[in-house]
Amino acid sequence: MLITISFNDPQVIDWQTKLIGRFVRAAIHVVADNSSNLSARDEIQEICLAANVAFVPVPGNPWLGSEKEGGKSHGYALNWAWQNIIRENRPLMAGFLDHDLFPVERTDPFRLLEGAVVAGLVRTTPDRRWYLWPGFALFNMGRLGTSRLNFGRDWLDDFDTGGLNWHRLYRHIDKRDLCQARLERVPVAPNVPVADALFERIDGWLHESRFTTDINMEPTRRQYLLGLKRNRVLDTLKALPAPPT
């Protein structure tokens, strides 16, 4: 089971559901919608219905409505989906995806769990603590040891969303039971510093990586960079080979 946490962006869900249907064959895809915009939520639901993808609205999120509280909102949605979708349905393997993450080749993300307990994109600290970025995080449910996870931010340890699982799960896992996804950071344009805007290529997936462009940046420049990212993503997806007929 792959669960996408969606948020106020029907376009990326339209692209992602189509591309997962085309390139990722061995997974049930669920969209857990965390949108604060009700019209966006309705549109995302219609997209999921057309793509035959399960749609579930995340209820009661107290952090919706503020972009600067996005990490808390995302953590709440992840915890709700973990408790009410994954633990209730008990898939053999489960994973979380960011909504602007797109497979661009035929892939099985769960192959990373062959011989591993967890897999995905690893974030680390200077003292070697680590956690999985919950935009590409995979779990071998039969080998976890605990299902009582918390995807919130760990402010004390300077971990972002998902970091509280260092204490719940990751510190108990031998590095031999971790499979790290390949990561490449790609500039969006030759004249744009990577610190301002970038793409990520993660194990055969393209990540638009919206929030690597600082929300505190001057608004006009930030909107320009986000528009540039979106156009470049669209160009990349349009250039993919046509699916076989």
Side-chain angles (χ1 to χ4, degrees):
M1 179 181 287
L2 289 172
I3 298 180
T4 297
I5 305 297
S6 58
F7 180 73
N8 287 350
D9 196 337
Q11 187 173 49
V12 295
I13 293 299
D14 188 33
W15 295 346
Q16 188 189 69
T17 53
K18 289 174 180 175
L19 289 165
I20 287 177
R22 177 174 163 188
F23 288 128
V24 186
R25 301 295 177 85
I28 296 169
H29 186 201
V30 178
V31 171
D33 186 66
N34 193 39
S35 295
S36 57
N37 183 308
L38 294 182
S39 63
R41 173 167 289 190
D42 290 343
E43 191 172 347
I44 290 169
Q45 184 174 17
E46 289 298 319
I47 289 166
C48 291
L49 180 64
N52 197 29
V53 169
F55 171 89
V56 185
V58 176
N61 191 331
W63 305 110
L64 281 183
S66 171
E67 189 174 31
K68 291 187 177 182
E69 299 292 359
K72 293 179 182 179
S73 174
H74 191 195
Y76 177 94
L78 290 160
N79 283 335
W80 187 90
W82 180 266
Q83 181 66 35
N84 293 281
I85 301 175
I86 293 174
R87 290 187 68 184
E88 285 295 316
N89 289 280
R90 300 181 182 179
L92 296 176
M93 298 180 183
F96 282 121
L97 301 175
D98 230 23
H99 67 166
D100 60 350
L101 186 70
F102 313 108
V104 293
E105 60 188 45
R106 187 75 174 268
T107 185
D108 175 8
F110 292 113
R111 80 191 189 289
L112 299 176
L113 288 174
E114 294 176 5
V117 176
V118 296
L121 184 59
V122 174
R123 306 293 196 201
T124 60
T125 64
D127 62 2
R128 298 186 179 182
R129 289 170 299 157
W130 60 275
Y131 66 103
L132 293 179
W133 173 62
F136 190 73
L138 305 163
F139 304 90
N140 188 331
M141 300 300 292
R143 296 186 58 197
L144 274 189
T146 181
S147 62
R148 297 178 63 82
L149 302 190
N150 187 340
F151 291 88
R153 302 177 71 172
D154 189 339
W155 296 98
L156 293 178
D157 288 335
D158 198 28
F159 280 169
D160 207 336
T161 308
L164 282 175
N165 282 324
W166 163 253
H167 300 284
R168 296 284 182 105
L169 176 64
Y170 301 129
R171 68 189 180 98
H172 303 293
I173 292 178
D174 192 292
K175 280 293 187 74
R176 292 173 295 184
D177 292 322
L178 163 69
C179 181
Q180 296 194 47
R182 303 187 311 272
L183 171 65
E184 178 187 5
R185 291 187 168 91
V186 183
V188 297
N191 62 338
V192 176
V194 171
D196 287 352
L198 58 84
F199 298 121
E200 292 178 326
R201 290 190 175 271
I202 305 169
D203 191 58
W205 299 64
L206 175 66
H207 182 214
E208 184 178 339
S209 197
R210 176 182 177 91
F211 286 102
T212 57
T213 302
D214 191 349
I215 63 173
N216 296 312
M217 184 182 291
E218 193 278 320
T220 301
R221 177 162 175 76
R222 185 168 192 260
Q223 289 307 310
Y224 163 74
L225 292 174
L226 294 179
L228 181 62
K229 280 189 182 191
R230 183 58 54 95
N231 289 335
R232 293 292 171 86
V233 167
L234 181 57
D235 289 344
T236 300
L237 299 184
K238 283 181 176 179
L240 294 176
T245 56

